[in-house]
């Protein structure tokens, strides 16, 4: 595993964007697995800035997102589709049909998961997967205790995740209770993984994930078994590693 320690959030975002953009430059038609959450926002902002300077071209890139809340429309300002549009897709020259996010409104979510797996396979798998880490160690929405062998599936969100994500909603009751998420198996099959972490609040879980035992109780710890992981974090998030 490669680890980059940066001074602060801004430097972390720039370093992570450097790694993604290097991939896009070397492999213009690559498949990027993308993540939401507050951590990668600065990275997306940096990628947009480089695109606007003409340093990046996304015209052949395909993206496939990790997860989506069940029940939220793409236009809901807390849906992950909306997040991706407003933070990245609306500002770059990616072809809309080449961007995939699980369908939170699918009448049959299980079927939507199966279709999503088919999409991942038909794209030839994920070249580089970006990941944040939840406070309880989740990746995507794979909560503690989740089976390793699953691909995209429906999950019940942990109470701690509902608490953590309620900061984005008007009321805790508004946070969806379920999500569609790529599974640990889908994530582990990505050829390269880029993990971004920031802030003192993540220091404990980052230590558990990367210096503790590999256990389903800390979903991110499985990444220790992946052959090509790059961890980019600011000093605060990596302080206990
Ligand atoms: C959400 C997402 C995860 C993300 C996590 C951490 O629950 N499903 O993909 O990694 O939040 O978010 P943040 O970066 O805001 O701490």
């Amino acid at each position: 595993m490669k680890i980059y320690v940066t001074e602060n959030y801004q430097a972390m975002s720039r370093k992570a964007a450097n790694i993604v953009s290097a991939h896009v430059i070397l492999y213009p038609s690559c498949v990027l697995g993308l993540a939401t959450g507050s951590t990668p926002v600065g990275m997306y902002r940096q990628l947009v800035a480089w695109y606007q300077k003409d340093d990046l071209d996304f015209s052949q890139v395909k993206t496939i997102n990790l997860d989506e809340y069940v029940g939220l429309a793409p236009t809901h300002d807390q849906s992950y589709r909306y997040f991706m549009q407003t933070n990245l897709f609306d500002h770059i020259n990616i072809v809309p049909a080449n961007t995939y996010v699980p369908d939170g409104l699918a009448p049959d979510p299980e079927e939507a998961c199966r279709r999503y797996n088919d999409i991942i396979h038909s794209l030839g798998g994920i070249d580089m997967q970006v990941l944040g880490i939840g406070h309880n160690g989740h990746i995507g929405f794979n909560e503690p205790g989740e089976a390793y062998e699953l691909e995209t599936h429906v999950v019940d969100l942990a109470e701690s995740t509902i608490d953590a994500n309620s900061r984005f909603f008007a009321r805790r009751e508004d946070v969806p209770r379920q999500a569609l998420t790529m599974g640990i198996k889908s994530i582990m099959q990505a050829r390269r993984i880029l993990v971004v972490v920031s802030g003192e609040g993540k220091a404990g879980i980052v230590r558990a994930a990367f210096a503790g035992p590999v256990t389903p109780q800390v979903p991110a710890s499985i990444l220790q078994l992946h052959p090509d992981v790059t961890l980019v974090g600011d000093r605060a998030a990596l302080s206990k590693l």
Side-chain angles (χ1 to χ4, degrees), residues 29-103:
S29 55
C30 63
V31 178
L32 296 179
L34 298 180
T36 57
S38 51
T39 312
V41 168
M43 180 190 83
Y44 292 136
R45 200 172 294 141
Q46 183 64 74
L47 289 172
V48 169
W50 285 333
Y51 165 74
Q52 286 168 345
K53 282 175 63 187
D54 238 357
D55 286 343
L56 281 176
D57 173 19
F58 291 89
S59 62
Q60 297 175 66
V61 170
K62 291 162 207 87
T63 65
I64 182 123
N65 262 76
L66 280 169
D67 47 12
E68 179 60 284
Y69 288 113
V70 169
L72 295 196
T75 49
H76 188 290
D77 67 0
Q78 289 309 321
S79 77
Y80 287 167
R81 165 54 79 176
Y82 185 89
F83 175 103
M84 290 311 304
Q85 292 300 138
T86 50
N87 283 291
L88 185 65
F89 301 153
D90 288 348
H91 312 291
I92 59 175
N93 66 336
I94 196 156
V95 177
N98 287 342
T99 68
Y100 300 92
V101 179
D103 181 2

Side-chain angles (χ1 to χ4, degrees), residues 9 34-41 66-69 80 83 130-136 138-143 157 161-162 164-165 167-168 179-181 196-198 202:
Y9 178 76
L34 298 180
T36 57
S38 51
T39 312
V41 168
L66 280 169
D67 47 12
E68 179 60 284
Y69 288 113
Y80 287 167
F83 175 103
V130 177
L131 289 179
I133 299 185
H135 285 95
N136 62 2
H138 73 216
I139 44 179
F141 268 132
N142 293 281
E143 300 286 25
L157 300 182
T161 298
I162 294 169
N165 291 1
R167 69 189 194 275
F168 300 115
L180 311 177
T181 184
V196 288
V197 287
S198 170
K202 291 281 170 74

Side-chain angles (χ1 to χ4, degrees), residues 178-190:
Q178 287 190 312
L180 311 177
T181 184
M182 276 188 209
I184 299 286
K185 182 175 174 186
S186 334
I187 293 169
M188 288 298 279
Q189 283 178 339

Side-chain angles (χ1 to χ4, degrees), residues 9-41:
Y9 178 76
Q10 205 188 340
M12 181 280 288
S13 301
R14 194 178 170 89
K15 176 61 75 182
N18 254 305
I19 292 168
V20 172
S21 62
H23 204 79
V24 170
I25 291 165
L26 285 171
Y27 311 104
S29 55
C30 63
V31 178
L32 296 179
L34 298 180
T36 57
S38 51
T39 312
V41 168

